[in-house]
Every structure is written in structure tokens, then in C-alpha cells.
Amino acid sequence: MKITSLVTGGAGFIGSYVANNLIALGHRVIVLDDLSGGVKKNVRPSARFYAGSITDESLVNKLFEKYKFTYVYHLAAYAAEGLSHFIRKFNYEHNLMGSINLINASVNHEVKCFVFTSSIAVYGTGTLPMKESNPPCPEDPYGIAKYAIEMDLLNAQKMFGLNYVIFRPHNVYGINQNIADKYRNVIGIFMNQILAKQSLTIFGDGQQSRSFTYIDDVAPYIANSVNVPEAINQTFNIGNDSVHTVRELADAVNLAMETKLDIRKLEQRKEVLHAYADHSKFKEIFKPKQFTDLHEGLFKMAQWVRANGHQPSQQFENIEITKNLPNNWNHS
């Protein structure tokens, strides 16, 4: 009997790559995506696509009843971490309560394993590099929602036997990423600004430090995790070890795009200044190949971006709180 897997957010960036890897592994793939950040063309013809939201409990239950999923890969989320302060209700409804619909259905339909992409946003500000043993202390509603789902999965495993694998990726980039969203994906933002011949904008002095991970170094391991017995009911940081400041990243993107556009500094926003993780646990269990160098990954993405051209910037129209909203996000 063929394995059937649900991929939420499967028309999005990471989700579509995970779905493609599952197809290569022989899974029958069902994609559920509301197309708020993804595009239908990212879904392979061999996958069955449903346009809809994980917040639609009736739709979720109908899909579980129809397909009797073996595995659930939950990647659907509105991942604008900085913006989450100002869209708290939207954030919790979509990133938390929608996830609970999936967990409930997974328990009721005896899914074998629930694979969840969380985020290193769960750590907040803490000891660096961030380790899975660090006590989580998220500093924004996005991270709070992710950690709440993690805790719910732990509870569901103890109470109902729902197995899980949790991944905490960070700053994943590559071909097919949405570059039109001005609230997230800094590499895409920079490349889209370059295509429009605009200055590259950074918050504050650009000394915020992050690790940036090419998509092909993440998606295959997420897809195959259900086949790794040691990974079941475990949580993993996943990503590149190399750390770069945002200012260094801007220079690297300019180089990859073969431009020399200026840097424009914006007022410093409230954010975790330094966020990068330890990946020892992931390496021990998954034994990954060498990760893609930042400059190599940026060059690959830049070729695709230039071929597809500038994308109009997308506005989030339902800001709930305007107090302290960064000026370049304020479009009232």
C-alpha cells in the first residue's frame, strides 16, 4: 500500500521542496495551501493540490477522512517574525490554532508521524550558539506560537501516542523563494530591491548576526526524517553553521547580483540581535553532507531571480497594532 502524506504549505518555498522530495521517495502527496505566500505552479502535477487553509477545520477533517494520511508534514505558516508583534490575532489563529486542527485530526486518524517545521525563534535571546537543550524563551508572537505547537506535540505524544519530529530551521533561502514579501526573507528583499535599482535597506547598523541555509541542505532531511528511527520524537536545529552579519549579507548579495547598490539604514527595530544555532544533534543523527557555502547559494538564487525579474512588493492589509510599527511597514 502506497504511503500517503499531507504537506501543508506545499505550494510555498520550503513546503514545495519537501513535497518534491517526498514524491521522489515514492509517497503519494496531497498539498494543502491557501496560496497566501506560495504559488500553485510550485506544486508538481503528480501531487494532488487543495486550495484552502489549515484554519478550515471542516476541510482539514474531510482531507484526513478521505486520504487516511500515513504522515503529516506541517510547513504552513505566516512566517513574518518581526511583523507578528503587530498581527497577534492573525498570527495565533493561523500559526497556532490552524496547527491544532491538524494535530487533532492526526490523533483521530492515527497518523504514524507528524513532522513539524518550527523555528529557532523559540529560543529568543539566550546563550549562543542556541542548542536544543536551551530553555526556550521566545520574544515575539511568531516564536510563541511555534513553541506552543512544539509543546502540544509533546503532550499529544504522551497522551495519545502521536509520534513527531520537530525541526527548527532558520533563514532558509534559494530558488522559488517569494521575494515580494517585504516583511520576511531578507535575502529575497535585498535581491528584489536590487532588481528595482533601490538601495538595500537594513535596520540599525546591520550588525545583527544570523546563519543562512540553502534550501537543498534542509528539505531532503525533513522529508526523509520519518525513515530515521533515532529522529522520532526528537527536536533538531537544522541549518548552516556559518554566521554572517546582515551588513555582510548585503555585500554578498550585491556581489552575487553583480551590483554595487548603496546601503540605506533604517531605524533599529525591536528584534533578537544575534540568532544562530548549534547543529551537533542533527549532524549526529542525520549525518548530512557538507552544507552549501553562502556565496555559492546566493549565486544560484541570483541567477533565478534575474531570470524572473522584479516582483511588486506585497502589503499586509490587516495590521492590528500600529504603535511602534517600523515606518517602512506603515502604509496607512
Side-chain angles (χ1 to χ4, degrees):
M1 186 174 176
K2 196 164 189 176
I3 294 170
T4 303
S5 293
L6 172 67
V7 181
T8 69
F13 176 47
I14 302 179
S16 63
Y17 275 81
V18 170
N20 293 344
N21 276 274
L22 290 172
I23 291 169
L25 290 170
H27 292 222
R28 180 191 188 194
V29 172
I30 311 300
V31 168
L32 175 61
D33 197 300
D34 65 4
L35 301 180
S36 60
V39 290
K40 190 176 179 180
K41 70 178 182 180
N42 285 343
V43 180
R44 293 263 179 95
S46 56
R48 182 70 185 272
F49 174 72
Y50 286 87
S53 174
I54 60 173
T55 62
D56 186 342
E57 184 179 7
S58 176
L59 174 60
V60 167
N61 289 334
K62 286 177 182 176
L63 291 178
F64 274 78
E65 183 63 39
K66 179 175 182 177
Y67 290 104
K68 312 295 183 188
F69 298 118
T70 314
Y71 302 116
V72 170
Y73 291 80
H74 179 28
L75 296 103
Y78 189 65
E81 185 176 350
L83 187 63
S84 69
H85 292 286
F86 309 98
I87 55 169
R88 309 174 86 86
K89 183 173 183 289
F90 180 93
N91 170 74
Y92 292 123
E93 286 177 344
H94 288 76
N95 292 349
L96 177 54
M97 296 312 300
S99 302
I100 298 305
N101 289 338
L102 296 169
I103 294 173
N104 283 348
S106 296
V107 170
N108 288 332
H109 292 272
E110 299 185 340
V111 164
K112 287 188 176 180
C113 190
F114 190 107
V115 181
F116 174 54
T117 53
S118 182
S119 168
I120 66 165
V122 303
Y123 293 113
T125 299
T127 304
L128 296 170
M130 299 162 173
K131 297 183 178 182
E132 294 89 349
S133 57
N134 288 12
C137 188
E139 295 197 357
D140 53 67
Y142 174 72
I144 292 169
K146 288 291 190 181
Y147 186 48
I149 302 162
E150 289 190 13
M151 294 301 294
D152 197 77
L153 284 171
L154 267 67
N155 178 271
Q157 200 285 323
K158 292 177 181 177
M159 189 71 184
F160 306 113
L162 175 64
N163 289 328
Y164 64 85
V165 184
I166 295 169
F167 289 98
R168 294 170 176 167
H170 43 95
N171 296 295
V172 182
Y173 69 98
I175 294 169
N176 287 342
Q177 188 165 44
N178 180 2
I179 67 169
D181 192 331
K182 69 178 184 178
Y183 308 104
R184 54 178 171 167
N185 307 327
V186 62
I187 291 173
I189 291 171
F190 283 165
M191 289 187 176
N192 208 31
Q193 288 174 331
I194 287 172
L195 290 175
K197 295 181 170 53
Q198 299 172 347
S199 299
L200 278 59
T201 54
I202 60 176
F203 291 99
D205 59 8
Q207 293 307 302
Q208 307 93 319
S209 57
R210 302 287 188 269
S211 294
F212 300 93
T213 308
Y214 194 67
I215 181 63
D216 288 337
D217 298 331
V218 172
Y221 301 105
I222 295 175
N224 193 52
S225 61
V226 297
N227 299 316
V228 182
E230 299 85 356
I232 304 302
N233 300 328
Q234 295 293 320
T235 300
F236 300 94
N237 296 330
I238 181 171
N240 203 316
D241 288 330
S242 299
V243 179
H244 302 271
T245 67
V246 173
R247 179 55 203 257
E248 290 170 346
L249 177 69
D251 292 338
V253 171
N254 255 327
L255 182 63
M257 294 287 287
E258 300 177 357
T259 53
K260 294 182 179 179
L261 292 183
D262 293 336
I263 307 296
R264 180 164 63 93
K265 294 182 180 180
L266 305 175
E267 183 180 355
Q268 179 67 54
R269 65 176 181 176
K270 295 183 183 299
E271 63 178 330
V272 176
L273 294 179
H274 306 289
Y276 49 90
D278 176 273
H279 306 105
S280 301
K281 183 178 178 182
F282 169 76
K283 292 176 182 177
E284 179 183 353
I285 300 301
F286 289 90
K287 298 177 173 52
K289 59 182 176 62
Q290 186 173 357
F291 275 45
T292 304
D293 174 77
L294 177 65
H295 294 283
E296 178 187 350
L298 289 177
F299 179 75
K300 291 179 182 179
M301 183 174 174
Q303 287 184 303
W304 171 78
V305 165
R306 285 199 297 265
N308 285 273
H310 176 263
Q311 304 297 315
S313 181
Q314 301 168 348
Q315 301 279 16
F316 191 94
E317 298 297 341
N318 297 304
I319 302 294
E320 299 160 14
I321 298 175
T322 57
K323 183 178 181 179
N324 297 334
L325 185 71
N327 289 333
N328 68 317
W329 289 355
N330 196 340
H331 49 85
S332 57

